[in-house]
Amino acid sequence: MSKTDTGTGRDRDELGAAGSRLSTAPQEEAVSLPGLGVIGWTRWFWRQLTSMRVALLLLLLLSLGAIPGSLIPQTGADATKVEDFRAAHRTLAPVYDKLGLFHVYSSVWFSAIYILLFVSLIGCIIPRTWQFVGQLRGRPPGAPRRLDRLPAYTTWTTTADPEQVRAAALGLLKKRRFRAHTAGDAVAAEKGYLREVGNLVFHIALIVLLIAFASGQLFKSDGTKLMVEGDGFSNALPMYDDFKSGSLFEPDDLVPFSFDLEDFKGTYELTGPNRGTPRTFQAKIRYSKGAYGRQTTTTVKVNEPLEIDGSKVYLVSHGYAPVITVRDGTGKVVYRDAVPLLPLDGNVTSQGVVKVMDGYRDAKGKKEQLGIKAFFLPTYGGAGMEIASAFPALLNPVLNLEPYHGDLGVDSGLPQSVYQLDKTHMKDFKDAKGAQLRVNLKPGESMKLPNGAGTVTFEKDVKEWAGFEIVQEPGGGWALGGALAAILGLAGSLFIQRRRVWVRAVRGDDGVTVVEMAGLGRSESAKVPEELGELAGHLYERAPGAPEPDDAHPAPTPDRHVVPAEGAEK
């Protein structure tokens, strides 16, 4: 091999060493299968698991695995929809059960991906962080022997001494926030460490997100409560109408507080093309923290929840609760209460059931139970519009009642909905024509039950009810912070350029100082040549070019837009 070939190989080695530590990524090594043995296979598996490509693959699998959880009904979110899906897809449902698609986020395969991704990220971050700390504690490497082999390069001659040029270059680079030092006959400088910081922050933020999401799912609680104006609520498990929680949640984890619904107000557009559109929904409540906390009055609006020590109270629904009074055959009041009715449409056409379970006796003194189906129209539109309200506000309220008597089935021990009537053991009341008794009442009017069985009165007071959702999900703040940190870290790793600059100043054979400047970036970018050209311009002002021997004119100023050096890789 010739000397020239040997020198070229050495130059390539120096160029490779110059850019070897621009990244904290672990160096790729040829992977060879270890020999048989537990330790060997464990090392091989750990290296594969902690590689960046496996981490990206697990992240992709986690994203794909979350898709069924969005498209298929989940038992933790709505068990009723899951049962409806089973009834409608009797062939597909057993397959989904075996795959755990009705509870994706708590399934074995999703948890396995989640845990492997968590371990993989930690295995990637620890060595990268250790290497980066080592780079921060060290100094930028010295200049390669052949700077003209680097991607960005420029040179000129000057009459200034080499020491003066190096001192000027060191001051200039430090002023531009480079980490710089003198190494032999050259100044070595480096900038853009925030790129690696952003990279590490991004991966650490992913771990924070994983922990926050896991804690939120394991320790969360989510319950609903329907409250009529004047009702109170205490944040205890028996007070909820419906309640869901994570697998590690304990009832003692509920934040102690209570509140009363003092008033609910809803307004609507009265005229124009948007007639009937809601304008405001707000609930005035009085709440207190703890068992003996001071009561405070506040207003809860849609998308403006009340926050109490990590628990949030959302306003999610509303409706009407007409006050109904039931008297038996002797005129005794056996029932008087505001009955919440569930809306059926946007104009709050509502329906529900009045159940009189105790105290009622008919005209003959016989004990019975009453079940009255109620159909409420906040704004009755007149003849021909008996089945739907014409407007959501209380402009012309009408209550339609359909009474039954007999056994409600509540004493059987089987649960039943308070909004539905089981007519299996019930008999209807007949009107004078022998048809099912059904009467429309306006506020203040009463319906007489046949044969002196009593009366049902629609009182003038029509109350409103509000539905609240009380959510307690720890880790929400950490998840938000992790998401913001991930975005900032990713932006830093994408837009900050890690680069190195070397300035060499040596005295030539003719006694004139030769200045060489070269730059190397982590990735191919126009920023390195442009920045090197700008730095060379400023350094040239401090060390101007030497006059040419033939015409005594100074050498031309180096081009601020430095082109890649001849022979450099592109």
Side-chain angles (χ1 to χ4, degrees):
M1 180 180 293
S2 65
K3 295 181 179 180
T4 304
D5 294 337
T6 303
T8 303
R10 187 181 301 113
D11 294 339
R12 292 175 180 172
D13 293 340
E14 291 178 355
L15 177 59
S20 61
R21 295 191 314 179
L22 282 175
S23 170
T24 59
Q27 296 181 357
E28 294 289 341
E29 298 179 356
V31 179
S32 59
L33 293 177
L36 295 176
V38 177
I39 297 178
W41 283 108
T42 302
R43 289 177 178 174
W44 178 84
F45 176 77
W46 177 253
R47 289 175 182 175
Q48 300 303 310
L49 180 61
T50 56
S51 65
M52 188 57 63
R53 54 182 173 269
V54 172
L56 293 175
L57 178 61
L58 291 172
L59 186 61
L60 176 62
L61 291 176
L62 191 70
S63 303
L64 294 176
I67 294 177
S70 303
L71 301 178
I72 301 174
Q74 301 293 294
T75 53
D78 195 334
T80 303
K81 287 186 177 180
V82 174
E83 294 303 321
D84 294 341
F85 187 92
R86 294 180 192 274
H89 304 84
R90 298 190 178 278
T91 303
L92 196 58
V95 179
Y96 282 6
D97 274 324
K98 292 181 179 179
L99 296 177
L101 297 183
F102 289 124
H103 50 91
V104 169
Y105 304 111
S106 59
S107 63
V108 175
W109 58 268
F110 191 86
S111 301
I113 297 174
Y114 200 92
I115 295 173
L116 286 175
L117 177 60
F118 185 80
V119 175
S120 178
L121 288 174
I122 293 179
C124 289
I125 289 174
I126 292 178
R128 292 177 71 96
T129 303
W130 184 252
Q131 293 178 17
F132 183 60
V133 170
Q135 292 185 19
L136 291 177
R137 296 176 62 184
R139 290 185 171 187
R145 192 175 67 86
R146 295 286 302 274
L147 291 178
D148 57 343
R149 296 287 186 180
L150 296 181
Y153 173 80
T154 187
T155 183
W156 72 93
T157 58
T158 179
T159 56
D161 293 334
E163 293 78 7
Q164 295 177 346
V165 176
R166 289 193 289 267
L170 184 63
L172 174 63
L173 291 170
K174 286 185 176 181
K175 185 178 181 181
R176 295 301 181 93
R177 297 182 180 178
F178 279 82
R179 293 184 63 201
H181 71 105
T182 302
D185 58 359
V187 175
E190 188 169 4
K191 190 177 183 180
Y193 287 88
L194 288 179
R195 179 187 181 94
E196 299 301 332
V197 173
N199 198 354
L200 293 174
V201 167
F202 172 73
H203 288 87
I204 295 174
L206 288 182
I207 295 179
V208 173
L209 281 172
L210 291 175
I211 296 175
F213 289 151
S215 63
Q217 291 296 319
L218 293 174
F219 297 96
K220 73 174 183 179
S221 66
D222 187 348
T224 58
K225 178 65 178 179
L226 187 150
M227 299 176 62
V228 180
E229 292 172 327
D231 288 351
F233 171 81
S234 178
N235 195 25
L237 206 57
M239 296 293 293
Y240 284 92
D241 297 331
D242 181 48
F243 189 83
K244 302 186 295 291
S245 64
S247 57
L248 299 182
F249 172 83
E250 296 291 340
D252 293 339
D253 295 334
L254 289 173
V255 176
F257 69 88
S258 61
F259 67 90
D260 299 326
L261 175 60
E262 295 187 343
D263 180 63
F264 179 87
K265 182 179 180 181
T267 60
Y268 309 87
E269 293 288 346
L270 296 175
T271 59
N274 295 324
R275 184 177 185 273
T277 303
R279 296 179 60 185
T280 59
F281 284 150
Q282 57 186 36
K284 181 181 178 182
I285 66 174
R286 181 182 293 272
Y287 73 95
S288 61
K289 300 180 181 179
Y292 307 102
R294 182 175 60 88
Q295 288 192 331
T296 304
T297 301
T298 187
T299 299
V300 180
K301 301 179 181 179
V302 178
N303 297 326
E304 295 182 16
L306 169 66
E307 297 189 28
I308 305 176
D309 296 339
S311 185
K312 295 183 179 181
V313 180
Y314 292 90
L315 175 63
V316 294
S317 59
H318 92 290
Y320 294 104
V323 178
I324 298 176
T325 301
V326 180
R327 293 178 173 84
D328 63 7
T330 64
K332 177 184 176 182
V333 176
V334 295
Y335 181 91
R336 180 184 174 86
D337 203 357
V339 183
L341 304 180
L342 299 182
L344 300 176
D345 56 27
N347 286 330
V348 203
T349 304
S350 309
Q351 71 174 3
V353 176
V354 181
K355 296 183 179 182
V356 182
M357 295 176 284
D358 299 308
Y360 173 77
R361 293 177 182 270
D362 61 9
K364 299 179 180 180
K366 179 183 177 182
K367 287 186 177 182
E368 278 192 315
Q369 294 177 332
L370 295 181
I372 306 172
K373 296 180 66 174
F375 192 76
F376 182 68
L377 281 68
T379 301
Y380 178 65
M385 298 186 64
E386 294 89 352
I387 61 173
S389 175
F391 195 76
L394 290 172
L395 302 182
N396 184 25
V398 168
L399 180 65
N400 179 275
L401 298 178
E402 184 179 316
Y404 295 83
H405 64 99
D407 183 6
L408 292 171
V410 295
D411 298 328
S412 64
L414 299 176
Q416 58 177 245
S417 172
V418 296
Y419 303 105
Q420 295 179 349
L421 179 63
D422 183 4
K423 296 185 292 184
T424 305
H425 304 288
M426 303 290 289
K427 297 180 181 180
D428 54 1
F429 285 98
K430 303 293 184 180
D431 59 12
K433 297 180 180 180
Q436 165 66 50
L437 179 63
R438 184 181 290 110
V439 179
N440 285 343
L441 300 178
K442 290 188 176 182
E445 296 182 345
S446 299
M447 173 183 66
K448 290 185 178 180
L449 299 177
N451 303 320
T455 61
V456 180
T457 303
F458 175 23
E459 303 292 346
K460 293 183 178 181
D461 184 17
V462 179
K463 295 186 177 182
E464 297 188 60
W465 60 262
F468 295 95
E469 182 177 10
I470 297 92
V471 179
Q472 191 170 317
E473 191 171 7
W478 285 99
L480 177 61
L484 295 176
I487 294 174
L488 294 176
L490 182 61
S493 64
L494 291 176
F495 297 109
I496 298 176
Q497 178 68 29
R498 180 89 175 268
R499 65 271 192 196
R500 286 177 177 156
V501 173
W502 292 276
V503 180
R504 173 174 286 143
V506 294
R507 194 175 299 279
D509 296 336
D510 55 358
V512 180
T513 301
V514 179
V515 181
E516 291 182 290
M517 293 188 67
L520 179 65
R522 176 174 180 177
S523 59
E524 196 171 321
S525 172
K527 185 174 183 178
V528 174
E530 291 179 2
E531 186 175 35
L532 184 67
E534 184 180 356
L535 291 172
H538 287 290
L539 184 58
Y540 186 86
E541 294 176 357
R542 305 181 185 184
E548 295 291 338
D550 53 349
D551 55 6
H553 288 295
T557 303
D559 188 0
R560 293 177 183 268
H561 300 284
V562 181
V563 297
E566 181 180 358
E569 295 182 2
K570 296 183 179 180

